[in-house]
Structures are given as C-alpha cells and as structure tokens.
Amino acid sequence: MTFPEIGADYCVGSAILPPNPSGINRDNRPFMALLPILRYPDDRLHTVARKVEEVDATVRKLAADMAETMYAAPGIGLAATQVDQHRQVIVIDVSEDKSQLLTLINPEILERSGECEGEEGCLSVPGIYETVTRSAAVRVRALNLDGQPFELAAEGLLAVCIQHEMDHLQGKVFVEYLSRLKQTRIKSKLAKQARITA
C-alpha cells in the first residue's frame, strides 16, 4: 500500500501493538534483497496465499526482504503475494519515521467496527489512487517472527492498511472494489505507462 498523493482523511487513530511486533531491528540488520513487485493486472496477484506451517529462517528472510522492498518502493505495506511468494505474510509500517515495522504471519481479523472511507494506493498499481470504504477499526490475530501468536487492535490508517494487505493474501487488489469501467480505465492507463517505460 502507498500513501495517496493528495491528502485523505483515514480517520487516523491509534494502534495497540504488542512489544516489538516485527522482530526486526532496522538499525542493525543484515543486507536484504529487493524483490520485484508484481504489477496489476498480473494474474499471479489473484493467487490465494497458503498458510505458513512453520515460521523458520526462510519465512523470516522473506519478511525481511519484503520490508526492505516496501521501504525502498516507498510504501507503507506489502503482502507476500505482491512479490510472487504465495504465503500468508504481510509487512506494514505506517509511522512517519519508518520505525514501527509490523510483520503479520497468518493474519486473521477477529473483529471489525465502524466504517472509514479514504483514498488508497498500491505498489502493484502504481500511480493510481481511488476511494475505498473499509472498516474503521479491526482486531487481528497473527504470528510474529518467532512463531508466537499475538493480537492487536488497530484504527484508522493502520486498520485500512491491514485490510488492504490481507486482501492481497486472498487474491484481491483494491481496484477490484471499483466499477468495471474504472477497472478497465486503470488497466489501460497502466498498459500505457508500461509501453512508455519499456
């Protein structure tokens, strides 16, 4: 997920996070690889991600590479589906100074409340920002990088970002909430961009 180019009110609130939820220390980290991000309408973005059976070194390396890719893009969220790794792993950091990296493995939404409307962008749909309606607050259960379960309550932008990235794990891209006409226009615009940059 990316920030919209124009300001949007996401009913931004607070989040209750577990201690050091990501398990990644960005100030003392090994070299990470930047991963290629799939572009909409690539069919692989519609692959439903499978659950992670064991949080091992391979999964931790994937999460670290995803985080580095997200920061470099730059973005505020990335799902494994977007880098053609179809496992239930997402990374998020909505902080202004990029100091609150959150990794969610096998995330599931336990509760939803309220409604919030705002513009969303996506690293797989570059340059496109559209209004989407989401739950304003969510409570989520997931595994951390040690394979331990935790829960968090999130509101505003963090809640939106969690829902956006979890959609990717189900094979859904945010533009698919829009009308077929808008989706067609977006595909045409992205195809034109691809021709220009080719």
Side-chain angles (χ1 to χ4, degrees), residues 134-181:
R134 303 273 191 187
S135 298
V138 295
R139 179 173 289 277
V140 182
R141 177 191 296 134
L143 301 179
N144 64 17
L145 289 169
D146 294 319
Q148 298 301 310
F150 69 94
E151 292 184 12
L152 69 85
E155 297 178 330
L157 181 57
L158 179 59
V160 168
C161 195
I162 288 170
Q163 292 169 83
H164 178 111
E165 301 309 333
M166 287 184 67
D167 274 354
H168 280 299
L169 300 182
Q170 297 302 314
K172 186 168 186 176
V173 181
F174 87 101
V175 294
E176 289 161 1
Y177 285 101
L178 309 176
S179 68
R180 289 191 178 274
L181 177 60

mmCIF file of all heavy atoms in Angstrom, residues 134-181:
data_model
loop_
_atom_site.group_PDB
_atom_site.id
_atom_site.type_symbol
_atom_site.label_atom_id
_atom_site.label_comp_id
_atom_site.label_asym_id
_atom_site.label_seq_id
_atom_site.Cartn_x
_atom_site.Cartn_y
_atom_site.Cartn_z
ATOM 1 N N ARG A 134 -13.687 0.960 4.030
ATOM 2 C CA ARG A 134 -13.172 -0.136 4.863
ATOM 3 C C ARG A 134 -13.764 -0.029 6.274
ATOM 4 O O ARG A 134 -14.348 0.992 6.639
ATOM 5 C CB ARG A 134 -11.645 -0.033 5.000
ATOM 6 C CG ARG A 134 -10.874 -0.038 3.705
ATOM 7 C CD ARG A 134 -10.567 -1.419 3.245
ATOM 8 N NE ARG A 134 -9.614 -1.426 2.135
ATOM 9 C CZ ARG A 134 -9.282 -2.518 1.464
ATOM 10 N NH1 ARG A 134 -9.804 -3.689 1.796
ATOM 11 N NH2 ARG A 134 -8.427 -2.459 0.467
ATOM 12 N N SER A 135 -13.542 -1.059 7.068
ATOM 13 C CA SER A 135 -13.848 -0.970 8.495
ATOM 14 C C SER A 135 -12.887 0.023 9.130
ATOM 15 O O SER A 135 -11.695 0.050 8.801
ATOM 16 C CB SER A 135 -13.692 -2.339 9.159
ATOM 17 O OG SER A 135 -14.598 -3.271 8.593
ATOM 18 N N ALA A 136 -13.397 0.834 10.046
ATOM 19 C CA ALA A 136 -12.572 1.866 10.677
ATOM 20 C C ALA A 136 -11.627 1.285 11.720
ATOM 21 O O ALA A 136 -10.574 1.858 11.999
ATOM 22 C CB ALA A 136 -13.458 2.925 11.317
ATOM 23 N N ALA A 137 -12.006 0.146 12.300
ATOM 24 C CA ALA A 137 -11.182 -0.468 13.343
ATOM 25 C C ALA A 137 -11.252 -1.981 13.201
ATOM 26 O O ALA A 137 -12.294 -2.536 12.819
ATOM 27 C CB ALA A 137 -11.651 -0.047 14.725
ATOM 28 N N VAL A 138 -10.152 -2.640 13.485
ATOM 29 C CA VAL A 138 -10.102 -4.100 13.426
ATOM 30 C C VAL A 138 -9.281 -4.635 14.595
ATOM 31 O O VAL A 138 -8.407 -3.950 15.121
ATOM 32 C CB VAL A 138 -9.485 -4.622 12.099
ATOM 33 C CG1 VAL A 138 -10.356 -4.267 10.914
ATOM 34 C CG2 VAL A 138 -8.061 -4.106 11.901
ATOM 35 N N ARG A 139 -9.595 -5.851 14.996
ATOM 36 C CA ARG A 139 -8.746 -6.596 15.917
ATOM 37 C C ARG A 139 -8.255 -7.814 15.160
ATOM 38 O O ARG A 139 -9.049 -8.539 14.568
ATOM 39 C CB ARG A 139 -9.486 -7.000 17.184
ATOM 40 C CG ARG A 139 -8.617 -7.816 18.151
ATOM 41 C CD ARG A 139 -9.313 -8.055 19.485
ATOM 42 N NE ARG A 139 -9.405 -6.827 20.259
ATOM 43 C CZ ARG A 139 -8.415 -6.355 21.028
ATOM 44 N NH1 ARG A 139 -7.262 -6.997 21.115
ATOM 45 N NH2 ARG A 139 -8.569 -5.242 21.704
ATOM 46 N N VAL A 140 -6.939 -8.012 15.179
ATOM 47 C CA VAL A 140 -6.310 -9.042 14.359
ATOM 48 C C VAL A 140 -5.496 -9.996 15.230
ATOM 49 O O VAL A 140 -4.883 -9.574 16.215
ATOM 50 C CB VAL A 140 -5.372 -8.395 13.312
ATOM 51 C CG1 VAL A 140 -4.732 -9.435 12.416
ATOM 52 C CG2 VAL A 140 -6.130 -7.384 12.469
ATOM 53 N N ARG A 141 -5.499 -11.261 14.849
ATOM 54 C CA ARG A 141 -4.607 -12.250 15.457
ATOM 55 C C ARG A 141 -3.634 -12.714 14.376
ATOM 56 O O ARG A 141 -4.018 -12.922 13.226
ATOM 57 C CB ARG A 141 -5.386 -13.444 15.989
ATOM 58 C CG ARG A 141 -4.478 -14.547 16.585
ATOM 59 C CD ARG A 141 -5.248 -15.822 16.866
ATOM 60 N NE ARG A 141 -6.260 -15.604 17.896
ATOM 61 C CZ ARG A 141 -7.515 -16.032 17.800
ATOM 62 N NH1 ARG A 141 -7.926 -16.663 16.722
ATOM 63 N NH2 ARG A 141 -8.365 -15.819 18.792
ATOM 64 N N ALA A 142 -2.352 -12.867 14.745
ATOM 65 C CA ALA A 142 -1.334 -13.313 13.797
ATOM 66 C C ALA A 142 -0.180 -13.945 14.565
ATOM 67 O O ALA A 142 -0.163 -13.956 15.798
ATOM 68 C CB ALA A 142 -0.827 -12.126 12.969
ATOM 69 N N LEU A 143 0.782 -14.460 13.818
ATOM 70 C CA LEU A 143 2.031 -14.938 14.400
ATOM 71 C C LEU A 143 3.105 -13.891 14.168
ATOM 72 O O LEU A 143 3.106 -13.203 13.146
ATOM 73 C CB LEU A 143 2.466 -16.250 13.746
ATOM 74 C CG LEU A 143 1.510 -17.445 13.837
ATOM 75 C CD1 LEU A 143 2.103 -18.643 13.099
ATOM 76 C CD2 LEU A 143 1.200 -17.791 15.275
ATOM 77 N N ASN A 144 4.061 -13.775 15.105
ATOM 78 C CA ASN A 144 5.200 -12.899 14.895
ATOM 79 C C ASN A 144 6.368 -13.696 14.300
ATOM 80 O O ASN A 144 6.220 -14.872 13.940
ATOM 81 C CB ASN A 144 5.595 -12.182 16.195
ATOM 82 C CG ASN A 144 6.081 -13.147 17.276
ATOM 83 O OD1 ASN A 144 6.425 -14.307 17.010
ATOM 84 N ND2 ASN A 144 6.127 -12.659 18.506
ATOM 85 N N LEU A 145 7.514 -13.077 14.195
ATOM 86 C CA LEU A 145 8.659 -13.729 13.552
ATOM 87 C C LEU A 145 9.273 -14.845 14.384
ATOM 88 O O LEU A 145 10.122 -15.589 13.894
ATOM 89 C CB LEU A 145 9.717 -12.681 13.192
ATOM 90 C CG LEU A 145 9.315 -11.757 12.044
ATOM 91 C CD1 LEU A 145 10.282 -10.595 11.922
ATOM 92 C CD2 LEU A 145 9.223 -12.519 10.735
ATOM 93 N N ASP A 146 8.838 -14.961 15.627
ATOM 94 C CA ASP A 146 9.254 -16.092 16.464
ATOM 95 C C ASP A 146 8.229 -17.214 16.433
ATOM 96 O O ASP A 146 8.360 -18.204 17.157
ATOM 97 C CB ASP A 146 9.470 -15.627 17.912
ATOM 98 C CG ASP A 146 10.639 -14.658 18.035
ATOM 99 O OD1 ASP A 146 11.662 -14.906 17.361
ATOM 100 O OD2 ASP A 146 10.518 -13.672 18.778
ATOM 101 N N GLY A 147 7.171 -17.030 15.627
ATOM 102 C CA GLY A 147 6.124 -18.037 15.546
ATOM 103 C C GLY A 147 5.139 -17.981 16.694
ATOM 104 O O GLY A 147 4.326 -18.891 16.857
ATOM 105 N N GLN A 148 5.194 -16.892 17.481
ATOM 106 C CA GLN A 148 4.303 -16.750 18.637
ATOM 107 C C GLN A 148 3.047 -15.965 18.244
ATOM 108 O O GLN A 148 3.126 -14.952 17.549
ATOM 109 C CB GLN A 148 5.029 -16.017 19.769
ATOM 110 C CG GLN A 148 6.249 -16.748 20.282
ATOM 111 C CD GLN A 148 5.911 -18.132 20.811
ATOM 112 O OE1 GLN A 148 4.994 -18.287 21.620
ATOM 113 N NE2 GLN A 148 6.627 -19.144 20.356
ATOM 114 N N PRO A 149 1.883 -16.425 18.697
ATOM 115 C CA PRO A 149 0.650 -15.700 18.372
ATOM 116 C C PRO A 149 0.533 -14.405 19.178
ATOM 117 O O PRO A 149 1.001 -14.324 20.317
ATOM 118 C CB PRO A 149 -0.457 -16.691 18.760
ATOM 119 C CG PRO A 149 0.165 -17.573 19.787
ATOM 120 C CD PRO A 149 1.627 -17.656 19.458
ATOM 121 N N PHE A 150 -0.053 -13.397 18.574
ATOM 122 C CA PHE A 150 -0.347 -12.149 19.277
ATOM 123 C C PHE A 150 -1.587 -11.533 18.659
ATOM 124 O O PHE A 150 -2.008 -11.916 17.561
ATOM 125 C CB PHE A 150 0.838 -11.172 19.225
ATOM 126 C CG PHE A 150 1.112 -10.611 17.847
ATOM 127 C CD1 PHE A 150 0.573 -9.388 17.447
ATOM 128 C CD2 PHE A 150 1.932 -11.289 16.951
ATOM 129 C CE1 PHE A 150 0.826 -8.858 16.192
ATOM 130 C CE2 PHE A 150 2.191 -10.769 15.684
ATOM 131 C CZ PHE A 150 1.643 -9.556 15.309
ATOM 132 N N GLU A 151 -2.187 -10.603 19.367
ATOM 133 C CA GLU A 151 -3.330 -9.859 18.862
ATOM 134 C C GLU A 151 -3.019 -8.373 18.905
ATOM 135 O O GLU A 151 -2.242 -7.920 19.754
ATOM 136 C CB GLU A 151 -4.589 -10.145 19.692
ATOM 137 C CG GLU A 151 -5.095 -11.565 19.547
ATOM 138 C CD GLU A 151 -6.404 -11.814 20.291
ATOM 139 O OE1 GLU A 151 -7.040 -10.810 20.725
ATOM 140 O OE2 GLU A 151 -6.786 -12.977 20.444
ATOM 141 N N LEU A 152 -3.624 -7.632 17.990
ATOM 142 C CA LEU A 152 -3.505 -6.180 18.046
ATOM 143 C C LEU A 152 -4.820 -5.553 17.632
ATOM 144 O O LEU A 152 -5.573 -6.121 16.848
ATOM 145 C CB LEU A 152 -2.339 -5.665 17.203
ATOM 146 C CG LEU A 152 -2.394 -5.751 15.675
ATOM 147 C CD1 LEU A 152 -3.134 -4.546 15.098
ATOM 148 C CD2 LEU A 152 -0.988 -5.787 15.105
ATOM 149 N N ALA A 153 -5.085 -4.387 18.204
ATOM 150 C CA ALA A 153 -6.249 -3.590 17.837
ATOM 151 C C ALA A 153 -5.740 -2.383 17.069
ATOM 152 O O ALA A 153 -4.796 -1.724 17.502
ATOM 153 C CB ALA A 153 -7.018 -3.161 19.078
ATOM 154 N N ALA A 154 -6.331 -2.118 15.929
ATOM 155 C CA ALA A 154 -5.859 -1.023 15.082
ATOM 156 C C ALA A 154 -7.025 -0.172 14.613
ATOM 157 O O ALA A 154 -8.137 -0.678 14.398
ATOM 158 C CB ALA A 154 -5.103 -1.583 13.875
ATOM 159 N N GLU A 155 -6.759 1.117 14.448
ATOM 160 C CA GLU A 155 -7.749 2.059 13.940
ATOM 161 C C GLU A 155 -7.133 2.855 12.800
ATOM 162 O O GLU A 155 -5.912 2.887 12.621
ATOM 163 C CB GLU A 155 -8.171 3.045 15.038
ATOM 164 C CG GLU A 155 -8.843 2.423 16.233
ATOM 165 C CD GLU A 155 -9.175 3.462 17.296
ATOM 166 O OE1 GLU A 155 -8.441 4.475 17.393
ATOM 167 O OE2 GLU A 155 -10.164 3.268 18.014
ATOM 168 N N GLY A 156 -7.982 3.550 12.061
ATOM 169 C CA GLY A 156 -7.527 4.497 11.057
ATOM 170 C C GLY A 156 -6.633 3.893 9.999
ATOM 171 O O GLY A 156 -6.913 2.815 9.467
ATOM 172 N N LEU A 157 -5.532 4.569 9.692
ATOM 173 C CA LEU A 157 -4.667 4.162 8.585
ATOM 174 C C LEU A 157 -4.107 2.755 8.782
ATOM 175 O O LEU A 157 -4.028 1.975 7.834
ATOM 176 C CB LEU A 157 -3.526 5.168 8.407
ATOM 177 C CG LEU A 157 -2.554 4.881 7.262
ATOM 178 C CD1 LEU A 157 -3.288 4.796 5.924
ATOM 179 C CD2 LEU A 157 -1.461 5.940 7.202
ATOM 180 N N LEU A 158 -3.718 2.414 9.999
ATOM 181 C CA LEU A 158 -3.186 1.068 10.228
ATOM 182 C C LEU A 158 -4.248 0.012 9.953
ATOM 183 O O LEU A 158 -3.974 -1.009 9.321
ATOM 184 C CB LEU A 158 -2.649 0.935 11.653
ATOM 185 C CG LEU A 158 -2.084 -0.452 12.008
ATOM 186 C CD1 LEU A 158 -0.938 -0.841 11.071
ATOM 187 C CD2 LEU A 158 -1.618 -0.489 13.459
ATOM 188 N N ALA A 159 -5.480 0.252 10.403
ATOM 189 C CA ALA A 159 -6.567 -0.689 10.143
ATOM 190 C C ALA A 159 -6.821 -0.836 8.646
ATOM 191 O O ALA A 159 -7.018 -1.951 8.136
ATOM 192 C CB ALA A 159 -7.846 -0.239 10.852
ATOM 193 N N VAL A 160 -6.807 0.286 7.931
ATOM 194 C CA VAL A 160 -7.002 0.261 6.474
ATOM 195 C C VAL A 160 -5.892 -0.536 5.806
ATOM 196 O O VAL A 160 -6.136 -1.377 4.939
ATOM 197 C CB VAL A 160 -7.050 1.703 5.913
ATOM 198 C CG1 VAL A 160 -6.946 1.711 4.392
ATOM 199 C CG2 VAL A 160 -8.323 2.403 6.356
ATOM 200 N N CYS A 161 -4.662 -0.284 6.229
ATOM 201 C CA CYS A 161 -3.513 -0.955 5.619
ATOM 202 C C CYS A 161 -3.565 -2.462 5.873
ATOM 203 O O CYS A 161 -3.290 -3.263 4.972
ATOM 204 C CB CYS A 161 -2.221 -0.354 6.172
ATOM 205 S SG CYS A 161 -0.759 -0.791 5.206
ATOM 206 N N ILE A 162 -3.931 -2.860 7.079
ATOM 207 C CA ILE A 162 -4.053 -4.290 7.382
ATOM 208 C C ILE A 162 -5.080 -4.938 6.465
ATOM 209 O O ILE A 162 -4.832 -6.002 5.879
ATOM 210 C CB ILE A 162 -4.421 -4.495 8.864
ATOM 211 C CG1 ILE A 162 -3.217 -4.167 9.765
ATOM 212 C CG2 ILE A 162 -4.896 -5.931 9.115
ATOM 213 C CD1 ILE A 162 -3.556 -4.115 11.246
ATOM 214 N N GLN A 163 -6.234 -4.301 6.313
ATOM 215 C CA GLN A 163 -7.286 -4.866 5.451
ATOM 216 C C GLN A 163 -6.843 -4.923 3.991
ATOM 217 O O GLN A 163 -7.102 -5.905 3.279
ATOM 218 C CB GLN A 163 -8.563 -4.032 5.594
ATOM 219 C CG GLN A 163 -9.205 -4.145 6.965
ATOM 220 C CD GLN A 163 -10.301 -3.116 7.164
ATOM 221 O OE1 GLN A 163 -11.435 -3.313 6.745
ATOM 222 N NE2 GLN A 163 -9.957 -2.005 7.801
ATOM 223 N N HIS A 164 -6.166 -3.872 3.544
ATOM 224 C CA HIS A 164 -5.662 -3.809 2.167
ATOM 225 C C HIS A 164 -4.692 -4.960 1.897
ATOM 226 O O HIS A 164 -4.809 -5.663 0.887
ATOM 227 C CB HIS A 164 -4.975 -2.449 1.969
ATOM 228 C CG HIS A 164 -4.359 -2.243 0.625
ATOM 229 N ND1 HIS A 164 -4.864 -1.352 -0.288
ATOM 230 C CD2 HIS A 164 -3.258 -2.802 0.039
ATOM 231 C CE1 HIS A 164 -4.105 -1.372 -1.385
ATOM 232 N NE2 HIS A 164 -3.123 -2.238 -1.194
ATOM 233 N N GLU A 165 -3.729 -5.155 2.800
ATOM 234 C CA GLU A 165 -2.730 -6.211 2.591
ATOM 235 C C GLU A 165 -3.338 -7.604 2.746
ATOM 236 O O GLU A 165 -2.968 -8.530 2.022
ATOM 237 C CB GLU A 165 -1.553 -6.033 3.562
ATOM 238 C CG GLU A 165 -0.822 -4.704 3.458
ATOM 239 C CD GLU A 165 -0.396 -4.321 2.046
ATOM 240 O OE1 GLU A 165 -0.179 -5.235 1.205
ATOM 241 O OE2 GLU A 165 -0.300 -3.119 1.769
ATOM 242 N N MET A 166 -4.293 -7.755 3.660
ATOM 243 C CA MET A 166 -4.943 -9.052 3.808
ATOM 244 C C MET A 166 -5.776 -9.398 2.581
ATOM 245 O O MET A 166 -5.909 -10.576 2.221
ATOM 246 C CB MET A 166 -5.784 -9.094 5.088
ATOM 247 C CG MET A 166 -4.920 -9.187 6.345
ATOM 248 S SD MET A 166 -5.882 -9.342 7.874
ATOM 249 C CE MET A 166 -6.618 -10.968 7.636
ATOM 250 N N ASP A 167 -6.321 -8.390 1.907
ATOM 251 C CA ASP A 167 -6.998 -8.636 0.625
ATOM 252 C C ASP A 167 -6.048 -9.300 -0.365
ATOM 253 O O ASP A 167 -6.429 -10.225 -1.099
ATOM 254 C CB ASP A 167 -7.521 -7.330 0.029
ATOM 255 C CG ASP A 167 -8.901 -6.943 0.537
ATOM 256 O OD1 ASP A 167 -9.525 -7.742 1.270
ATOM 257 O OD2 ASP A 167 -9.361 -5.837 0.191
ATOM 258 N N HIS A 168 -4.807 -8.806 -0.421
ATOM 259 C CA HIS A 168 -3.820 -9.405 -1.338
ATOM 260 C C HIS A 168 -3.653 -10.896 -1.063
ATOM 261 O O HIS A 168 -3.518 -11.693 -1.997
ATOM 262 C CB HIS A 168 -2.460 -8.711 -1.199
ATOM 263 C CG HIS A 168 -2.358 -7.419 -1.933
ATOM 264 N ND1 HIS A 168 -2.496 -7.308 -3.296
ATOM 265 C CD2 HIS A 168 -2.092 -6.156 -1.489
ATOM 266 C CE1 HIS A 168 -2.333 -6.057 -3.681
ATOM 267 N NE2 HIS A 168 -2.087 -5.330 -2.591
ATOM 268 N N LEU A 169 -3.645 -11.278 0.209
ATOM 269 C CA LEU A 169 -3.466 -12.691 0.548
ATOM 270 C C LEU A 169 -4.633 -13.537 0.053
ATOM 271 O O LEU A 169 -4.498 -14.749 -0.141
ATOM 272 C CB LEU A 169 -3.303 -12.864 2.057
ATOM 273 C CG LEU A 169 -2.115 -12.141 2.703
ATOM 274 C CD1 LEU A 169 -2.053 -12.456 4.191
ATOM 275 C CD2 LEU A 169 -0.795 -12.505 2.020
ATOM 276 N N GLN A 170 -5.780 -12.882 -0.165
ATOM 277 C CA GLN A 170 -6.955 -13.577 -0.709
ATOM 278 C C GLN A 170 -7.067 -13.417 -2.225
ATOM 279 O O GLN A 170 -8.073 -13.791 -2.829
ATOM 280 C CB GLN A 170 -8.235 -13.045 -0.039
ATOM 281 C CG GLN A 170 -8.288 -13.310 1.456
ATOM 282 C CD GLN A 170 -8.191 -14.790 1.786
ATOM 283 O OE1 GLN A 170 -8.859 -15.620 1.166
ATOM 284 N NE2 GLN A 170 -7.340 -15.136 2.741
ATOM 285 N N GLY A 171 -6.027 -12.836 -2.824
ATOM 286 C CA GLY A 171 -6.022 -12.686 -4.282
ATOM 287 C C GLY A 171 -6.829 -11.509 -4.788
ATOM 288 O O GLY A 171 -7.259 -11.500 -5.952
ATOM 289 N N LYS A 172 -7.022 -10.491 -3.946
ATOM 290 C CA LYS A 172 -7.823 -9.340 -4.349
ATOM 291 C C LYS A 172 -7.002 -8.065 -4.297
ATOM 292 O O LYS A 172 -6.294 -7.812 -3.323
ATOM 293 C CB LYS A 172 -9.047 -9.206 -3.431
ATOM 294 C CG LYS A 172 -10.016 -8.116 -3.864
ATOM 295 C CD LYS A 172 -11.326 -8.213 -3.106
ATOM 296 C CE LYS A 172 -12.348 -7.221 -3.644
ATOM 297 N NZ LYS A 172 -13.665 -7.367 -2.989
ATOM 298 N N VAL A 173 -7.114 -7.253 -5.352
ATOM 299 C CA VAL A 173 -6.426 -5.966 -5.446
ATOM 300 C C VAL A 173 -7.462 -4.863 -5.200
ATOM 301 O O VAL A 173 -8.622 -4.986 -5.607
ATOM 302 C CB VAL A 173 -5.762 -5.800 -6.826
ATOM 303 C CG1 VAL A 173 -5.017 -4.475 -6.935
ATOM 304 C CG2 VAL A 173 -4.816 -6.970 -7.091
ATOM 305 N N PHE A 174 -7.057 -3.779 -4.549
ATOM 306 C CA PHE A 174 -8.024 -2.775 -4.097
ATOM 307 C C PHE A 174 -8.875 -2.202 -5.227
ATOM 308 O O PHE A 174 -10.041 -1.837 -5.013
ATOM 309 C CB PHE A 174 -7.322 -1.655 -3.314
ATOM 310 C CG PHE A 174 -6.786 -0.527 -4.148
ATOM 311 C CD1 PHE A 174 -7.470 0.674 -4.257
ATOM 312 C CD2 PHE A 174 -5.569 -0.650 -4.823
ATOM 313 C CE1 PHE A 174 -6.969 1.728 -5.007
ATOM 314 C CE2 PHE A 174 -5.064 0.394 -5.577
ATOM 315 C CZ PHE A 174 -5.762 1.585 -5.676
ATOM 316 N N VAL A 175 -8.349 -2.127 -6.446
ATOM 317 C CA VAL A 175 -9.125 -1.553 -7.549
ATOM 318 C C VAL A 175 -10.324 -2.430 -7.905
ATOM 319 O O VAL A 175 -11.246 -1.968 -8.585
ATOM 320 C CB VAL A 175 -8.242 -1.314 -8.796
ATOM 321 C CG1 VAL A 175 -7.200 -0.254 -8.510
ATOM 322 C CG2 VAL A 175 -7.600 -2.595 -9.283
ATOM 323 N N GLU A 176 -10.328 -3.663 -7.435
ATOM 324 C CA GLU A 176 -11.454 -4.549 -7.729
ATOM 325 C C GLU A 176 -12.689 -4.234 -6.891
ATOM 326 O O GLU A 176 -13.738 -4.850 -7.067
ATOM 327 C CB GLU A 176 -11.008 -6.008 -7.578
ATOM 328 C CG GLU A 176 -10.061 -6.392 -8.704
ATOM 329 C CD GLU A 176 -9.213 -7.616 -8.423
ATOM 330 O OE1 GLU A 176 -9.347 -8.218 -7.338
ATOM 331 O OE2 GLU A 176 -8.415 -7.962 -9.307
ATOM 332 N N TYR A 177 -12.577 -3.254 -5.977
ATOM 333 C CA TYR A 177 -13.745 -2.718 -5.294
ATOM 334 C C TYR A 177 -14.455 -1.688 -6.172
ATOM 335 O O TYR A 177 -15.555 -1.252 -5.839
ATOM 336 C CB TYR A 177 -13.332 -2.049 -3.976
ATOM 337 C CG TYR A 177 -12.989 -3.014 -2.868
ATOM 338 C CD1 TYR A 177 -11.669 -3.299 -2.557
ATOM 339 C CD2 TYR A 177 -13.984 -3.646 -2.130
ATOM 340 C CE1 TYR A 177 -11.347 -4.182 -1.531
ATOM 341 C CE2 TYR A 177 -13.679 -4.532 -1.110
ATOM 342 C CZ TYR A 177 -12.365 -4.798 -0.821
ATOM 343 O OH TYR A 177 -12.037 -5.679 0.187
ATOM 344 N N LEU A 178 -13.814 -1.287 -7.256
ATOM 345 C CA LEU A 178 -14.341 -0.233 -8.121
ATOM 346 C C LEU A 178 -15.216 -0.812 -9.228
ATOM 347 O O LEU A 178 -15.265 -2.027 -9.429
ATOM 348 C CB LEU A 178 -13.174 0.554 -8.740
ATOM 349 C CG LEU A 178 -12.111 1.061 -7.764
ATOM 350 C CD1 LEU A 178 -10.979 1.733 -8.524
ATOM 351 C CD2 LEU A 178 -12.716 2.011 -6.736
ATOM 352 N N SER A 179 -15.885 0.067 -9.965
ATOM 353 C CA SER A 179 -16.732 -0.369 -11.075
ATOM 354 C C SER A 179 -15.876 -0.988 -12.177
ATOM 355 O O SER A 179 -14.672 -0.722 -12.280
ATOM 356 C CB SER A 179 -17.512 0.821 -11.641
ATOM 357 O OG SER A 179 -16.607 1.718 -12.285
ATOM 358 N N ARG A 180 -16.509 -1.809 -13.009
ATOM 359 C CA ARG A 180 -15.788 -2.437 -14.132
ATOM 360 C C ARG A 180 -15.231 -1.378 -15.080
ATOM 361 O O ARG A 180 -14.148 -1.549 -15.646
ATOM 362 C CB ARG A 180 -16.706 -3.391 -14.893
ATOM 363 C CG ARG A 180 -17.034 -4.656 -14.116
ATOM 364 C CD ARG A 180 -17.711 -5.691 -14.998
ATOM 365 N NE ARG A 180 -17.970 -6.912 -14.256
ATOM 366 C CZ ARG A 180 -17.104 -7.888 -14.100
ATOM 367 N NH1 ARG A 180 -15.887 -7.769 -14.616
ATOM 368 N NH2 ARG A 180 -17.419 -8.985 -13.433
ATOM 369 N N LEU A 181 -15.963 -0.285 -15.254
ATOM 370 C CA LEU A 181 -15.499 0.788 -16.127
ATOM 371 C C LEU A 181 -14.206 1.388 -15.586
ATOM 372 O O LEU A 181 -13.235 1.581 -16.340
ATOM 373 C CB LEU A 181 -16.579 1.872 -16.249
ATOM 374 C CG LEU A 181 -16.188 3.106 -17.083
ATOM 375 C CD1 LEU A 181 -15.843 2.697 -18.508
ATOM 376 C CD2 LEU A 181 -17.325 4.129 -17.067
#
